């Protein structure tokens, strides 16, 4: 077994151990505080942990399958997230061609470019060519009512759900000396740090949160939760340095940056939900809401993480 495979299995066993511990605690809490299922907080916690098991299983299988598995997984996530996003936009019948192009041409092409490691094109395909092509597809239908708003919303959906999300599997294409065949561990580092930052911000906020950061956007986010969650995620990132090509200090700094970006990503996506008058993006994941509710932090941090790592090694 290669060192990369050994580290990946060790990491997956570690994640499994954390989930087993969380499930055990949840079971005890349910028996003591909600034996009849009447405690909404405990029931929501159980639903979230069960959903984490499913998400961890699919992610682990994709990691074990290698490049193809990871690309397919995130292509599916982009498709599902794009569908959730589009349901909250001001699209009209005249936009159907543009939407079909987004789902069945632009999204597959972007992930094909990721799979073939064509960085020069996948880095500009959506922000340049798709941005120019989408309005052309829509304008042929002759419907000018709220045209700019409609096109901007679809373009923004593509940027968030496809372009940004695709930078997660794009990490596999990075050429890092001495780190060959281990790039999947960079994806694991990104996802674990950002997701744990979200969870720990929630936990710290519930335990010590008093000062709300943005009550109109996300009432549950507090200064205490933000500071505690980001610092905890930074420490976890530093402890995970062994799955990265970085030193503990460098890994901690990267964890701090992506945790901050993940927080702001959550705020931005919350603002969109408030604008549309909904609590969640969807109902795909029990206890979490929609797929975007779970990936909003990752998609904002992924391009930053990708380019920091890429240019870091290009300058060394």
């Amino acid at each position: 077994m290669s060192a990369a495979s050994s580290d990946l299995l060790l990491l997956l066993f570690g994640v499994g151990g954390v989930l087993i511990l969380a499930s055990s605690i949840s079971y005890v809490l349910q028996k003591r505080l909600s034996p009849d299922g009447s405690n909404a907080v405990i029931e929501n916690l159980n639903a979230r942990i069960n959903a984490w098991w499913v998400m961890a299983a699919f992610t682990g299988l994709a990691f074990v399958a290698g490049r193809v598995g990871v690309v397919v997984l995130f292509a599916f996530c982009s498709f599902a997230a794009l569908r959730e996003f589009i349901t909250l936009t001001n699209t009209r019948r005249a936009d159907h061609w543009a939407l079909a192009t987004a789902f069945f041409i632009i999204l597959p092409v972007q992930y094909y470019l990721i799979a073939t490691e064509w960085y020069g094109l996948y880095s500009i395909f959506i922000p340049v060519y798709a941005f120019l092509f989408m309005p052309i597809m829509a304008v042929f239908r002759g419907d000018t009512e709220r045209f700019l708003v409609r096109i901007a919303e679809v373009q923004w959906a593509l940027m968030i759900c496809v372009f940004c999300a695709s930078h997660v599997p794009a990490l596999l294409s990075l050429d890092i000396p001495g780190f060959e065949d281990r790039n999947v561990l960079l994806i694991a580092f990104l996802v674990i740090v950002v997701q744990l930052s979200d969870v720990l911000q929630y936990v710290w906020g519930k335990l010590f949160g008093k000062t709300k950061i943005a009550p109109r956007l996300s009432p549950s986010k507090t200064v205490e939760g933000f500071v505690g969650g980001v610092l905890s995620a930074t420490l976890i990132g530093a402890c995970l340095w062994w799955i990265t090509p970085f030193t503990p200090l460098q890994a901690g700094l990267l964890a701090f940056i992506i945790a901050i970006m993940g927080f702001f990503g959550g705020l931005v996506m919350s603002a969109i939900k408030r604008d549309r008058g909904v609590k969640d993006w969807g109902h795909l994941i029990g206890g979490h809401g929609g797929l975007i509710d779970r990936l909003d932090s990752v998609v904002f941090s992924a391009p930053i993480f990708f380019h920091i790592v890429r240019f870091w090694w290009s300058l060394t």
Side-chain angles (χ1 to χ4, degrees):
M1 181 182 294
S2 66
S5 298
S6 178
D7 287 346
L8 179 59
L9 287 178
L10 180 61
L11 186 65
L12 292 177
F13 278 123
V15 171
V18 172
L19 288 174
I20 290 174
L21 177 62
S23 296
S24 301
I25 294 174
S26 176
Y27 176 80
V28 172
L29 290 175
Q30 184 176 35
K31 286 296 184 181
R32 292 186 177 183
L33 304 178
S34 183
D36 56 353
S38 59
N39 190 313
V41 175
I42 299 299
E43 297 306 312
N44 179 261
L45 175 63
N46 286 334
R48 284 174 175 263
I49 293 174
N50 291 336
W52 271 115
W53 273 107
V54 175
M55 290 187 287
F58 276 107
T59 304
L61 288 174
F63 285 174
V64 172
R67 177 184 300 277
V68 173
V70 174
V71 172
V72 170
L73 172 65
F74 280 93
F76 168 79
C77 289
S78 283
F79 189 94
L82 186 60
R83 181 178 178 275
E84 290 178 352
F85 201 115
I86 293 300
T87 59
L88 298 185
T89 61
N90 292 288
T91 53
R92 293 164 60 85
R93 186 173 183 178
D95 300 317
H96 286 181
W97 287 358
L99 292 176
T101 301
F103 278 97
F104 301 111
I105 296 179
I106 294 175
L107 189 155
V109 169
Q110 176 70 9
Y111 277 93
Y112 169 77
L113 297 174
I114 293 290
T116 57
E117 302 184 10
W118 194 346
Y119 172 79
L121 189 51
Y122 73 65
S123 62
I124 63 171
F125 176 63
I126 289 177
V128 176
Y129 297 107
F131 263 50
L132 295 174
F133 188 64
M134 295 295 291
I136 295 173
M137 292 296 298
V139 79
F140 279 125
R141 305 300 294 271
D143 186 349
T144 59
E145 183 175 345
R146 298 175 62 83
F147 182 79
L148 180 59
V149 172
R150 286 156 38 207
I151 291 301
E153 287 178 341
V154 176
Q155 291 172 330
W156 181 241
L158 278 172
M159 280 296 294
I160 294 298
C161 302
V162 183
F163 181 74
C164 290
S166 69
H167 278 73
V168 179
L171 289 166
L172 296 174
S173 66
L174 294 179
D175 183 16
I176 302 175
F179 202 69
E180 293 81 2
D181 301 322
R182 295 168 61 88
N183 288 32
V184 70
L185 295 173
L186 287 175
I187 298 178
F189 178 84
L190 169 67
V191 173
I192 290 173
V193 168
V194 174
Q195 294 296 327
L196 283 180
S197 177
D198 282 352
V199 172
L200 292 169
Q201 285 177 42
Y202 176 82
V203 172
W204 282 102
K206 286 295 183 182
L207 293 175
F208 306 105
K210 295 181 180 179
T211 310
K212 297 185 182 300
I213 291 181
R216 294 183 60 185
L217 298 180
S218 184
S220 63
K221 295 185 184 299
T222 63
V223 173
E224 294 81 5
F226 167 69
V227 173
V230 169
L231 292 181
S232 298
T234 300
L235 179 60
I236 291 171
C239 292
L240 289 174
W241 67 273
W242 56 276
I243 65 171
T244 75
F246 304 107
T247 66
L249 180 60
Q250 293 168 341
L253 178 60
L254 276 172
F256 177 77
I257 293 172
I258 60 179
I260 293 289
M261 285 303 302
F263 170 79
F264 286 121
L267 278 186
V268 170
M269 303 309 282
S270 292
I272 297 175
K273 288 189 291 183
R274 298 298 175 266
D275 177 58
R276 289 295 181 263
V278 298
K279 181 179 181 295
D280 297 315
W281 283 95
H283 308 283
L284 181 64
I285 305 175
H288 294 269
L291 191 64
I292 299 179
D293 291 295
R294 193 66 275 136
L295 291 180
D296 53 4
S297 301
V298 174
V299 297
F300 267 73
S301 56
I304 304 298
F305 182 70
F306 173 86
H307 286 291
I308 289 177
V309 175
R310 183 175 187 273
F311 289 110
W312 190 317
W313 287 104
S314 68
L315 296 175
T316 59

